[in-house]
């Protein structure tokens, strides 16, 4: 089926689906208006679950949103912010962590390799960034609660979200920003790479949806990517995952007409998962990088 599509000479067909028995269906574009659902319709009684929202780009977006609405954000993440900081990192600012780590290793008589230092600093940085996100959301006028849970671990994620609803009320909104990258050429991809990238996007969302009462749900916002539509070198799995998110949003719009469902196909950000190597590759292709200052 894949080879048939790759060798199809009809370039006018943009998208197709393959069903049971490899039955081929051409997907037609359908234009719909969402004007009637453009109002935010968010109140202080609403409860938003935000995956991947404690650090990085999703966190910045939620911080900005908190300045426009007064509601409750439940941030799900894998960082244990209750664990005590190591002694070498206590009372140190983010800018001082690397030097403090180097000094600690020197005092212990250990070789300070870049990998070792980066691991030490990253563990502390994650905790500090999550705490800073919670503080900034509260300063914006909304409430913020952090829940330590891996959204891809179905049992733990579902249990955590059930507890959230018992404590704070029914979940009325989902902002799904969690994501992972494992960029490689397709012939070098492993099953583990594929599952890491796709499960974070798809299984993570399905886990969140599984505990939500559809009649209470008002908002679903997916953080998708332009790579889902246009593709990108080394990102077959990431492209697949993000396009599935967009298809799920379309399905939600059809079967849950009262839910404001959006899929935002972001370009590359100047932080988060875009490292210096990727920045150079994008610059060589004249692709603009989105900065945090561009968030409205």
């Amino acid at each position: 089926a894949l080879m048939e599509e790759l060798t199809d000479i009809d370039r006018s067909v943009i998208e197709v689906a393959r069903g049971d028995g490899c039955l081929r269906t051409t997907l037609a574009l359908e234009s719909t208006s969402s004007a009637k659902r453009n109002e935010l319709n968010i109140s202080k009684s609403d409860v938003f679950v935000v995956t991947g929202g404690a650090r990085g780009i999703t966190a910045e977006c939620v911080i900005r949103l908190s300045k426009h609405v007064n509601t409750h954000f439940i941030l799900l993440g894998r960082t244990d912010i209750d664990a005590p900081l190591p002694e070498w990192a206590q009372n140190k600012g983010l800018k001082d962590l690397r030097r403090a780590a180097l000094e600690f290793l020197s005092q212990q008589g250990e070789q300070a390799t870049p990998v070792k230092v980066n691991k030490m600093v990253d563990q502390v940085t994650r905790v500090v960034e999550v705490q800073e996100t919670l503080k900034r959301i509260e300063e914006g006028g909304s409430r913020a609660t952090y829940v330590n849970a891996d959204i891809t671990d179905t049992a733990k994620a579902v249990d955590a979200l059930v507890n959230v609803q018992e404590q704070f009320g029914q979940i009325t909104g989902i902002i799904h920003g969690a994501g992972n990258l494992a960029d490689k050429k397709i012939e070098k991809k492993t099953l583990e790479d594929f599952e890491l990238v796709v499960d974070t996007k798809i299984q993570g969302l399905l886990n969140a949806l599984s505990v939500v009462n559809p009649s209470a749900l008002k908002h679903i916002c997916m953080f998708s990517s332009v790579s889902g539509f246009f593709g990108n070198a080394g990102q077959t799995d990431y492209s697949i995952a993000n396009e599935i998110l967009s298809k799920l949003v379309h399905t939600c719009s059809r079967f849950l007409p009262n839910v404001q469902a959006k899929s935002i196909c972001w370009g590359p950000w100047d932080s988060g998962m875009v490292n210096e190597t990727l920045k150079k590759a994008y610059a060589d292709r004249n692709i603009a990088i989105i900065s945090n200052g561009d968030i409205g």
Side-chain angles (χ1 to χ4, degrees), residues 2-251:
L2 179 60
M3 290 306 298
E4 286 177 5
E5 298 302 335
L6 289 173
T7 57
D8 182 13
I9 63 173
D10 185 358
R11 300 296 181 181
S12 65
V13 177
I14 304 299
E15 203 166 2
V16 299
R18 292 276 182 164
D20 293 340
C22 237
L23 179 65
R24 188 175 192 263
T25 304
T26 301
L27 303 183
L29 292 175
E30 180 182 337
S31 178
T32 58
S33 173
S34 60
K36 64 179 181 180
R37 289 181 280 130
N38 276 340
E39 294 183 4
L40 281 177
N41 188 26
I42 299 174
S43 69
K44 64 169 60 177
S45 63
D46 283 315
V47 177
F48 273 76
V49 165
V50 187
T51 70
R55 300 172 60 244
I57 300 308
T58 312
E60 287 295 329
C61 290
V62 173
I63 289 167
R64 301 297 176 93
L65 181 59
S66 70
K67 298 177 182 179
H68 297 281
V69 299
N70 182 0
T71 193
H72 193 171
F73 295 103
I74 311 294
L75 310 183
L76 263 64
R78 293 175 295 176
T79 302
D80 183 5
I81 64 173
D82 295 323
L85 293 178
E87 186 175 343
W88 64 266
Q90 293 179 10
N91 302 317
K92 296 290 191 304
L94 288 176
K95 296 180 179 179
D96 302 321
L97 287 176
R98 183 167 294 277
R99 185 174 68 250
L102 289 169
E103 291 176 354
F104 174 78
L105 291 173
S106 177
Q107 292 168 1
Q108 300 299 310
E110 296 185 38
Q111 184 179 1
T113 65
V115 173
K116 187 179 296 184
V117 173
N118 287 341
K119 183 177 180 180
M120 292 172 62
V121 172
D122 185 59
Q123 289 174 338
V124 177
T125 300
R126 288 174 179 270
V127 174
V128 175
E129 287 181 345
V130 172
Q131 293 172 338
E132 181 68 14
T133 296
L134 297 173
K135 177 183 175 183
R136 291 174 65 190
I137 291 174
E138 296 277 356
E139 289 174 347
S142 292
R143 291 168 292 162
T145 301
Y146 181 77
V147 177
N148 179 205
D150 184 347
I151 193 62
T152 64
D153 187 324
T154 300
K156 292 182 179 179
V158 168
D159 185 55
L161 291 173
V162 168
N163 290 335
V164 162
Q165 294 193 111
E166 290 176 350
Q167 292 184 62
F168 306 113
Q170 291 192 99
I171 295 169
T172 59
I174 296 174
I175 299 175
H176 186 41
N180 273 313
L181 289 179
D183 290 6
K184 295 176 185 175
K185 291 184 177 181
I186 192 168
E187 65 270 23
K188 295 183 179 179
K189 292 278 186 183
T190 65
L191 182 59
E192 289 74 20
D193 293 331
F194 185 86
E195 291 176 342
L196 171 70
V197 175
V198 175
D199 283 359
T200 303
K201 291 279 186 181
I202 309 309
Q203 190 58 52
L205 174 64
L206 296 178
N207 289 341
L209 288 173
S210 69
V211 301
V212 173
N213 179 357
S215 63
L217 195 61
K218 295 163 58 178
H219 299 275
I220 298 177
C221 181
M222 316 287 194
F223 277 29
S224 185
S225 168
V226 292
S227 69
F229 187 82
F230 294 104
N232 196 26
Q235 293 189 335
T236 48
D237 41 18
Y238 192 67
S239 299
I240 289 170
N242 282 295
E243 183 62 0
I244 291 174
L245 287 186
S246 295
K247 290 295 186 290
L248 286 172
V249 162
H250 180 69
T251 301

